[in-house]
Amino acid sequence: MRIRLWLALLLTLVVSAQVPRGVVVSQERLASEAGAQVLREGGSAVDAAVATAFALAVVHPAAGNLGGGGFLLWRPTAGQPSFIDFRETAPAAAHPRMWLKEDGTYNEEKHHETLVSVGVPGTVAGLHEAWKREGRLPWARLLRPAIRLAREGFVLTENQAASLSGHLAEFQRHAPTLAQFSRKGEPLRAGDRLVQRALAQTLIRLAKHWTDFYQGETARLIVRDMKANGGWIHAADLRAYRPVVREVLRGTYRGVEVLAAPPPSSGGQVLIQTLNVLEGYDLKAAGAGSPLAIHLTAEALRRAYADRAQFLGDPAFNPEIPLARLLSKAYAAELRATIQLDRASVSAPDRFTWPKDRPDTTHLSVVDRKGNAVSLTYTLEDSYGLKRIVPGAGFLLNNELGDFNAAPGLTDRQGLIGTTPNLAQPGKRPLSSMCPVILVKDGAVLLVSGSPGGRTIPATVLNTVLGVVDFGLDAQGVVAAPRIHHQWLPDQIQVEADLSDATKAALKAMGHVLKEVKKQGCAQVILVRNGQAEGAADTRRWADSGAAVE
Ligand code: DON
């Protein structure tokens, strides 16, 4: 007895120097719990992230996925941070004019709503790559919760049932999808059990051999669907898919180190460039949510998003992206010199305009008790991606190639952009806004953050960073604080509706156009303060978001 007490005391002392208990935060409590259980069994933060991501593919089919792609940022307590890019790629048949009809006009449906818009999925290869490098538990162990949730089913919450029934009309266009996500065509209700047998079988195959997705039965099922229905992905495209391990994009903000996503994401560029500009102002003195703080944030974002559209794309096809210059403090000073403190500037529309934003994506954050951190964002692009299950395989396909620009030079006021860095090409990754981030202070993790929200993602993540560094908020406060966004064009500040009338009036008086939205993003945040990891789940657009503690 005495020995046990002594051991417990020793353990407390040891772990309190690090993070007493690991935390997992994601958009579904069941998935966070799957990750936390892995931590309890001695798994690493990466193990927990992989288990959570596979579980999300079952319990959060709107964005959790096997058939999509994403980014994983990993920062170990000892050693170097790394970044795994498992973004989807364009198949070999892709070309810059692939979204045009024969008469040369733009075919929006083909770009976003057909099997041609599906990128070669990267999720399974990416999660496996992360596990291969940093995993401690057996691979099959990490898929176990997902297999159980798919095979035995789980009871739908109000939120899940509302999401599924809200998309019923779209599921009706494809019989296997309707069969999986309805009760013989009738909407599923809260309290119903959702069992996904074909998905369970796929997960069981992947638990044995992850390569099944790219070269085995799962690959065969994908290619069969593509062949039968006019898709462009062939067996060779699946076989050729590789995740890429990239240098983490690094910046600093008021003495805090920022680790963020490099291209083919624009997330890190927008975030770090904006922070560099804001570093020249005293936001704390201006006050959180004050007209001046919002004005300066919007002006900094405006400029970073303009550069995003001009320069960013898959680095394999754009060797000339001037990242060093864009992320330099000197360039930030040049940009600051163009900002007036009391006047909105104007986004010149002739530079280019923007493609539309489409939901949906999801983020998860993990910190284990040693302080190792994972920040992972992955996506199917739209909610439920293409809304097409691969027949016999039980998972949804992405429509990620919609993130490519529409056609060379095709820029219009409706929101198309024709700049070259992000035109479709064989094997190319479409430009992303996903922005998993980790902040490091005095050598230890301070914040793990990320969000869905398409083009608004870097701005949402920026809001969480400012909440911590400038405004000293706790994790709940960071997640709850009203958010803003500006993306060059349309030339407007997007604000969450709970800004005061006085603040809105002050911004309008500076010349800003305001667009009010009820909700921006869904950030899943872990803040480490005084050696304690605080998880805060964002329920503003997804009520089931939840944290689980080891
Ligand atoms: O990679 C991207 O930037 C987009 N495909 C993400 C889409 C998204 O976040 C929508 N979420 N609400």
Side-chain angles (χ1 to χ4, degrees), residues 87 358-361 381 400 403 432-434 452-454 457 541:
R87 183 75 163 159
R358 293 159 179 266
D360 205 304
T361 298
E381 163 67 347
E400 210 72 55
D403 278 353
S432 172
S433 301
M434 291 187 287
I457 292 173
R541 87 171 191 193

Side-chain angles (χ1 to χ4, degrees), residues 480-501:
R483 296 178 182 147
I484 70 130
H485 168 67
H486 194 299
Q487 60 173 41
W488 176 256
L489 286 171
D491 191 349
Q492 62 193 20
I493 305 182
Q494 176 172 303
V495 295
E496 284 187 320
D498 42 1
L499 278 189
S500 74
D501 288 345

Side-chain angles (χ1 to χ4, degrees), residues 143-167:
L143 281 92
R144 208 192 300 149
I147 292 170
R148 185 176 47 74
L149 289 162
R151 189 165 49 190
E152 296 171 16
F154 60 96
V155 176
L156 291 174
T157 63
E158 294 277 352
N159 186 52
Q160 288 163 332
S163 173
L164 287 168
S165 61
H167 287 84

Side-chain angles (χ1 to χ4, degrees), residues 7 12 16 33 87 128 173 190 193 237 273 308 397-398 405 439 474 482 486 498 527 535:
L7 265 179
T12 318
S16 62
E33 183 47 44
R87 183 75 163 159
H128 186 268
R173 292 190 213 126
R193 183 169 280 275
D237 295 306
Q273 197 175 323
R308 172 198 194 274
L397 290 168
N398 69 80
N405 293 348
L439 297 189
D474 64 11
H486 194 299
D498 42 1
L527 177 62

Side-chain angles (χ1 to χ4, degrees), residues 438-522:
I438 297 175
L439 297 189
V440 180
K441 191 173 181 198
D442 302 328
V445 169
L446 172 66
L447 177 77
V448 185
S449 176
S451 176
R455 199 61 47 80
T456 64
I457 292 173
T460 296
V461 175
L462 172 76
N463 283 267
T464 65
V465 171
L466 299 182
V468 171
V469 179
D470 288 279
F471 305 126
L473 302 176
D474 64 11
Q476 288 298 342
V478 163
V479 162
R483 296 178 182 147
I484 70 130
H485 168 67
H486 194 299
Q487 60 173 41
W488 176 256
L489 286 171
D491 191 349
Q492 62 193 20
I493 305 182
Q494 176 172 303
V495 295
E496 284 187 320
D498 42 1
L499 278 189
S500 74
D501 288 345
T503 303
K504 287 183 213 161
L507 288 164
K508 284 181 188 161
M510 289 179 191
H512 287 291
V513 174
L514 301 186
K515 178 191 172 200
E516 291 189 32
V517 292
K518 285 215 179 72
K519 299 159 194 178
Q520 178 181 311
C522 195

Side-chain angles (χ1 to χ4, degrees), residues 51 186 207 302 312 330 391 409:
E186 293 301 313
R302 178 201 302 276
L312 275 269

